[in-house]
Amino acid sequence: MGTTALADVTAGQVWGDFKSYLQGFGYEITADETQTGDGLTVSNVTMVMEMPEGAGTARVTVPELSFSETGDGSVEMTMPNMSTTTYNVDVEGEGDSSGEIDVVQNDFVMLVSGSPGDMVYNYSATDMQMAFKNLMVDGKPVDVAVARVEMRNLEGQSNSKVTDLRRTEQTMRAGSMGYDIDMADPEGGSGRLVMKGAVSAIEFAGTATTPTEAVDTNDMNAMLESGFGVEGNFTHSGSTTEFSFDEDASTVSGTVVSKSGSLGVRMDAGQLGYTVGSNDVTLNVTSSDLPFPVEMAMADSQLKFEMPVTPSEDPQDFALAIKLGDFVMSDMIWSMFDPAGQLPRDPATIAVDLTGTARLDAPIMDPEAMESAEAPGELRTLTIGDLVLRLAGAELTGAGDFTFDNSDTSTFDGMPRPEGALNLKLVGGNTLLDTLVAMGFVPQEQATGVRMMMGLFAVPGEGEDTLTSRIEVNEQGHVLANGQRLR
């Protein structure tokens, strides 16, 4: 009620803000405007955007938009049930494609309040669909029986504040999302893909900053320098995908299920970053080329990636983390190489967390700079944290820190000289090696060589079948293992 009482916007101001927002992304907009008794009707709306690097154009056509002033200072915006987007993509060396996307929305309502320069858009819809049709690749039609995405029980809010930049804060929720694809190989092969899936309880929260003046959307580096940036996070509480692929006499089909997941994205002049995660993932696949189904599961899957994008005299942070936690597979797969069950079948985990700093000399988003033979910057520090490899009864863990002297690239043959240490611990390694010898996977003479190598790099630790190792590189460039010089 407080928001409504303070609202003071007109239909013309809302339409102007809407246009300005889209123009900031590079759209050219044409439309016919007609004043009405309670606001404004905008018809024959055409929005055209040139894709980066001359790859083609995207064209959105909307028959009519209506902006009605409600009498309390807010504006109700309505849209037609259906609008169409046409696109034409022509990438040099990759061929061309074109098609149409029909957007259908039912019971769509948007109420705009606030004041000029600080508008709040609240919207909802019972469902929204996007259907792809008339797909062409290299001038030939593609057999598409269905290609559709649908969201149900959609609601959200967008708060747009304009100063020297436009800052938009957004939240969105959807009860579910479904997708359905049945199409032939777009490159003209004999294959056919059928995929159907559903995602429940989708939520999004994020912010975006865009220049108030039009910029060249083909130059991402210029956009970032002018203030463009996005940051957001999607979450869901469960997803299911069913798929099948047929080609000639070969068929592959299966299901992928996860209980929850997330996707985070950040891109601005400071950082480019992604985080992807899934929990309790199961995979079941059957193939005409395999005599039994493939069944796998994983409790935790995580990927994190962060890196600087614009040059700076000061070192900037980067990160890379990967985790595949508690991976298991069916006894049928184990029996292919371990029919007697000699190897422990405990869940396997692979994880590594790398962080550090680097000085960037050239913008990552500049293609010409990235094509240069010169390194785009200098690595300054590296931290290895939470290194874990747990498999078949053995476990390797480790952590370490290194700094790098970029003025010395001769000690390590073109690589900046590192200084620091990595601490490693191996539990169950000898037992696993004995089992592999007994199974015939590793010849005895090779096992003996492996033990000699472990004796060179490791020392006995606390506990049975435990080895530890400290690998150091000192300021003279010497490499030491547990104090013994190796280089």
Side-chain angles (χ1 to χ4, degrees), residues 104-175:
V104 179
Q105 48 204 3
N106 292 311
D107 301 323
F108 177 84
V109 177
M110 176 178 285
L111 190 66
V112 186
S113 59
S115 59
D118 188 0
M119 295 188 185
V120 179
Y121 295 75
N122 287 283
Y123 60 89
S124 64
T126 56
D127 68 84
M128 183 177 291
Q129 300 179 26
M130 291 190 299
F132 298 79
K133 65 180 186 180
N134 299 330
L135 179 62
M136 304 280 290
V137 174
D138 293 333
K140 299 178 181 179
V142 178
D143 178 10
V144 179
V146 61
R148 181 177 59 242
V149 179
E150 181 179 18
M151 300 181 74
R152 292 185 177 274
N153 300 321
L154 179 70
E155 62 178 31
Q157 183 182 89
S158 177
N159 182 198
S160 178
K161 298 182 179 182
V162 181
T163 53
D164 54 335
L165 293 171
R166 176 187 293 270
R167 178 178 174 85
T168 306
E169 299 178 356
Q170 302 179 67
T171 59
M172 184 275 292
R173 293 174 298 278

Side-chain angles (χ1 to χ4, degrees), residues 247-264:
E247 185 171 19
D248 299 329
S250 178
T251 301
V252 178
S253 62
T255 61
V256 182
V257 178
S258 70
K259 288 190 176 181
S260 63
S262 63
L263 169 64

Side-chain angles (χ1 to χ4, degrees), residues 122-460:
N122 287 283
Y123 60 89
S124 64
T126 56
D127 68 84
M128 183 177 291
Q129 300 179 26
M130 291 190 299
F132 298 79
K133 65 180 186 180
N134 299 330
L135 179 62
M136 304 280 290
V137 174
D138 293 333
K140 299 178 181 179
V142 178
D143 178 10
V144 179
V146 61
R148 181 177 59 242
V149 179
E150 181 179 18
M151 300 181 74
R152 292 185 177 274
N153 300 321
L154 179 70
E155 62 178 31
Q157 183 182 89
S158 177
N159 182 198
S160 178
K161 298 182 179 182
V162 181
T163 53
D164 54 335
L165 293 171
R166 176 187 293 270
R167 178 178 174 85
T168 306
E169 299 178 356
Q170 302 179 67
T171 59
M172 184 275 292
R173 293 174 298 278
S176 65
M177 181 183 75
Y179 50 93
D180 194 356
I181 301 172
D182 183 348
M183 63 183 296
D185 183 354
E187 296 184 357
S190 60
R192 188 169 195 88
L193 172 67
V194 178
M195 181 180 294
K196 182 179 293 187
V199 185
S200 61
I202 300 171
E203 294 193 10
F204 168 79
T207 60
T209 57
T210 55
T212 54
E213 301 293 332
V215 296
D216 184 4
T217 57
N218 294 322
D219 188 343
M220 180 55 70
N221 186 57
M223 288 184 64
L224 295 174
E225 290 179 347
S226 63
F228 174 79
V230 293
E231 183 174 4
N233 188 61
F234 288 90
T235 62
H236 69 82
S237 63
S239 68
T240 302
T241 299
E242 300 176 4
F243 64 90
S244 67
F245 181 76
D246 299 313
E247 185 171 19
D248 299 329
S250 178
T251 301
V252 178
S253 62
T255 61
V256 182
V257 178
S258 70
K259 288 190 176 181
S260 63
S262 63
L263 169 64
V265 178
R266 175 190 171 185
M267 181 172 66
D268 54 34
Q271 284 269 323
L272 170 64
Y274 297 94
T275 58
V276 183
S278 297
N279 299 306
D280 294 327
V281 181
T282 58
L283 170 67
N284 294 275
V285 178
T286 59
S287 171
S288 58
D289 297 328
L290 294 175
F292 55 84
V294 175
E295 299 177 358
M296 301 178 182
M298 186 161 41
D300 188 16
S301 172
Q302 304 290 332
L303 171 65
K304 177 181 178 181
F305 171 75
E306 294 179 355
M307 66 178 295
V309 294
T310 53
S312 173
E313 289 297 324
D314 300 321
Q316 302 179 72
D317 295 334
F318 69 86
L320 174 62
I322 300 173
K323 182 180 180 182
L324 305 177
D326 292 339
F327 173 83
V328 296
M329 54 189 181
S330 66
D331 288 338
M332 286 188 178
I333 301 177
W334 277 105
S335 297
M336 291 180 61
F337 54 87
D338 183 25
Q342 295 173 268
L343 289 171
R345 300 183 180 183
D346 301 330
T349 294
I350 300 175
V352 63
D353 186 358
L354 304 178
T355 58
T357 59
R359 185 173 65 83
L360 191 63
D361 295 329
I364 293 295
M365 297 298 177
D366 185 345
E368 293 185 2
M370 291 301 99
E371 291 174 0
S372 172
E374 297 293 328
E378 296 179 349
L379 177 64
R380 295 295 183 86
T381 65
L382 177 65
T383 296
I384 304 170
D386 297 328
L387 172 64
V388 177
L389 175 57
R390 188 181 302 118
L391 178 66
E395 180 183 68
L396 174 67
T397 57
D401 289 281
F402 292 90
T403 60
F404 294 85
D405 183 355
N406 289 268
S407 66
D408 180 359
T409 57
S410 59
T411 301
F412 286 86
D413 192 21
M415 172 183 170
R417 178 176 57 80
E419 181 179 348
L422 173 64
N423 295 293
L424 298 169
K425 180 180 179 181
L426 176 63
V427 179
N430 280 299
T431 301
L432 176 58
L433 187 58
D434 290 339
T435 303
L436 295 176
V437 171
M439 295 172 65
F441 282 178
V442 178
Q444 184 62 57
E445 58 273 17
Q446 291 185 12
T448 301
V450 171
R451 295 186 201 279
M452 292 177 62
M453 186 66 66
M454 288 193 299
L456 179 63
F457 285 94
V459 296

